[in-house]
Amino acid sequence: MNAPSTHLVIADDHPLFRDALRQAVAGVLSTAKIDEAGSFEDLTRVLEQTSDVDLVLLDLSMPGISGFSGLIYLRAQYPAIPVVIVSASDDSATIRRSLDFGASGFIPKRFGVETLRDAILKVMEGDVWVPADTDLTAASDPDMTKLRDRLVTLTPQQVRVLMMLSEGLLNKQIAYELGVSEATIKAHVSAILQKLGVESRTQAVIAAAKIAGSQWKQGTPAG
């Protein structure tokens, strides 16, 4: 596990916290290769350039994503790469939804380096790590469960389109950002509406924001 081939990516927009995570990783994986990403675009660029990433440590809110959108995208696009959420938002509902969307663990930012080290080691050993005081036993909301199940059917590209819809971007703006035609974006939007069981892009954005609560940034859908 501590071989030079161990490769982690720390995705957080705060340099000081990335440094803290790097120290925590180095404490248990001294020879690991560690890449850093200050935005979701940086993270996807790293993942596109290499196929040997063993773990991603992901903040829930950073440039390019908010809430669970980044996690949903990573689990769809790179299902073999474990993702651990490292976030300041650490209520039980957020932790449980992170696990529901496929996270391999959840580490609150309020914890110190020693706890970070323990959590990272457990995940690298194949365990799922959450704070000991987390209550994961509360009954799930059936409507939320149904909506979550619909969200995870989206393809990686559809997740990216929904993320951009949530930022209020027009179809032509999304097409430009993704390097595809506007017709392709319209097709993606239609598929998103069908999979989420809604009738408009506004309803799709509301649905995405609903399951993430305050975690998913909601703009004003246009176009």
Side-chain angles (χ1 to χ4, degrees):
M1 182 187 66
N2 204 30
S5 60
T6 303
H7 186 184
L8 293 88
V9 183
I10 298 171
D12 192 288
D13 59 336
H14 296 287
L16 290 177
F17 191 76
R18 291 202 304 271
D19 286 343
L21 276 179
R22 180 180 281 273
Q23 291 178 35
V25 171
V28 292
L29 301 166
S30 59
T31 61
K33 176 183 178 182
I34 303 172
D35 283 318
E36 297 184 15
S39 69
F40 195 68
E41 182 181 357
D42 291 342
L43 173 59
T44 55
R45 187 180 301 116
V46 170
L47 296 177
E48 287 166 1
Q49 292 174 348
T50 181
S51 59
D52 67 350
V53 174
D54 298 297
L55 178 67
V56 173
L57 300 173
L58 178 70
D59 190 9
L60 278 178
S61 183
M62 59 188 300
I65 61 168
S66 57
F68 304 103
S69 58
L71 174 60
I72 295 170
Y73 176 81
L74 292 179
R75 299 311 298 143
Q77 182 71 28
Y78 304 101
I81 302 176
V83 179
V84 171
I85 299 300
V86 185
S87 177
S89 301
D90 57 5
D91 58 279
S92 293
T94 299
I95 295 175
R96 184 168 64 182
R97 287 182 188 176
S98 296
L99 299 182
D100 285 345
F101 282 123
S104 295
F106 191 104
I107 307 173
K109 284 189 173 182
R110 59 185 164 86
F111 287 168
V113 172
E114 289 300 323
T115 303
L116 290 173
R117 287 176 179 171
D118 179 63
I120 291 167
L121 184 60
K122 291 292 186 184
V123 171
M124 293 302 295
E125 291 175 344
D127 294 332
V128 173
W129 194 95
V130 297
D133 59 354
T134 304
D135 179 14
L136 299 175
T137 62
S140 299
D141 183 330
D143 290 337
M144 286 294 186
T145 299
K146 185 183 297 183
L147 180 54
R148 180 202 70 207
D149 291 344
R150 289 178 178 272
L151 274 172
V152 297
T153 67
L154 299 180
T155 66
Q157 192 77 325
Q158 288 165 1
V159 174
R160 294 185 71 181
V161 171
L162 181 56
M163 289 161 64
M164 292 178 178
L165 289 178
S166 297
E167 294 172 358
L169 298 185
L170 302 167
N171 282 353
K172 61 182 179 181
Q173 293 172 309
I174 298 174
Y176 175 79
E177 291 292 333
L178 297 182
V180 299
S181 69
E182 191 170 346
T184 297
I185 298 303
K186 289 181 179 179
H188 281 316
V189 171
S190 295
I192 291 168
L193 300 187
Q194 183 177 18
K195 288 183 176 182
L196 295 186
V198 297
E199 298 180 355
S200 70
R201 52 198 289 149
T202 298
Q203 290 177 345
V205 170
I206 291 173
K210 186 181 297 182
I211 197 162
S214 61
Q215 292 299 319
W216 190 304
K217 180 173 62 179
Q218 183 176 346
T220 302

